[in-house]
Amino acid sequence: MRREHSLATVPAGLSLLLVLLAAVPAGAGGGGSGASRTTADAVLAHEEARLLVDRLTEAGARPDQIDSAERRREAVRSGLWNLLRATEKEVGDPVAVDPSGRSGHCPVGRRGRDPHHRTGGPWTAPTLGYWLSAGYAARGTHWARRHTGQDFAVPAGTPVLAVGPGTVRATTCGDGFGNQVVIRHPDGYFTQYAHLSRIDVRRGDRVAPGTRIGLSGATGNVTGPHLHFEVRITPYMGSAVAPLPWLRRKDVDLRR
């Protein structure tokens, strides 16, 4: 069974990233070490560019300066998106080839007037009654190199919640992540919720902070029930960023 995706460690620098991306045609595939280094640099460059946009905005910079920085961020993200989309289609990532989960016959709960769709409210933790286990970038035998998300240790059947408002991008199953949901948020980032025992939403559904999107479980490549939570720049593996700092920017401070 395929392992969860790894996080490569490479030299920093936006200029290096732009050179590397220029050498990889849009739509090029391949999962070699060169592609991994390019991907890791793109993630780092995007976060540096996003930080620059935030700083310029907070400092009251001229609109043209902010727009220029935002265009640079979007260019990096676009290059990363194209690279990963082609790569993940090539390796059969369900998020790239079957985002609705129909081909994989993923287990989806019955629709109805269940009281799990909250509206409004602040951003929230992705589950209840948890303790934080494996963290972002942790090393271990279960990951090819490093862990790409934050694990929440919870019993099977614990409600899994959308951390913020957004639209369901994918509901898939069948790989190392097992049953999973991917949500796109208004700031352009994506959150992933993996190893679910059941999925309670469908692709295209709009969710609010606290909407129950499924139940925790132990599907995919796991040793026991838990929720694997990930924050990504794109919907695809390889674009993950540290989830706890991202949640803190949303005023969600998780207890340990």
Side-chain angles (χ1 to χ4, degrees):
M1 184 173 289
R2 189 179 176 192
R3 290 185 290 178
E4 293 181 5
H5 202 68
S6 61
L7 173 72
T9 303
V10 295
L14 177 60
S15 59
L16 174 60
L17 174 276
L18 294 177
V19 171
L20 287 169
L21 282 181
V24 182
S33 60
S36 296
R37 287 194 295 270
T38 302
T39 298
D41 266 319
V43 170
L44 181 59
H46 178 276
E47 292 304 277
E48 290 175 345
R50 190 267 312 159
L51 183 59
L52 177 59
V53 172
D54 290 348
R55 287 174 174 170
L56 289 172
T57 302
E58 292 170 1
R62 297 195 316 268
D64 64 306
Q65 292 179 309
I66 298 174
D67 288 345
S68 177
E70 178 63 16
R71 285 195 299 271
R72 176 174 293 182
R73 183 192 70 80
E74 284 290 345
V76 174
R77 181 171 177 267
S78 178
L80 176 62
W81 189 305
N82 290 337
L83 176 63
L84 290 178
R85 178 173 54 194
T87 301
E88 295 308 304
K89 281 186 176 180
E90 182 180 322
V91 300
D93 176 7
V95 174
V97 300
D98 184 27
S100 67
R102 291 193 184 95
S103 297
H105 303 289
C106 300
V108 177
R110 184 181 63 185
R111 282 188 184 275
R113 299 177 60 84
D114 295 336
H116 64 262
H117 289 290
R118 261 180 45 184
T119 58
W123 290 67
T124 186
T127 190
L128 308 169
Y130 60 85
W131 61 274
L132 301 180
S133 49
Y136 177 77
R139 294 185 182 275
T141 57
H142 296 291
W143 315 297
R145 290 189 181 86
R146 293 194 180 188
H147 194 220
T148 53
Q150 174 64 55
D151 284 352
F152 292 74
V154 289
T158 302
V160 173
L161 314 174
V163 296
T167 303
V168 176
R169 168 80 184 202
T171 55
T172 74
C173 58
D175 69 347
F177 286 116
N179 303 325
Q180 63 173 313
V181 173
V182 178
I183 295 173
R184 181 171 186 165
H185 299 285
D187 62 359
Y189 284 86
F190 295 79
T191 51
Q192 177 214 27
Y193 312 75
H195 307 310
L196 307 180
S197 61
R198 193 182 76 195
I199 298 170
D200 285 342
V201 289
R202 288 175 171 79
R203 188 184 185 204
D205 283 355
R206 296 181 65 84
V207 296
T211 296
R212 193 186 76 200
I213 59 174
L215 302 177
S216 65
T219 58
N221 181 27
V222 297
T223 57
H226 70 279
L227 169 67
H228 173 89
F229 174 76
E230 203 165 299
V231 178
R232 298 174 174 177
I233 297 168
T234 78
Y236 309 115
M237 292 188 294
S239 62
V241 300
L244 298 190
W246 185 85
L247 283 171
R248 282 195 290 270
R249 294 202 301 271
K250 313 294 187 185
D251 296 322
V252 179
D253 193 6
L254 301 176
R255 58 177 177 80
R256 292 190 174 273

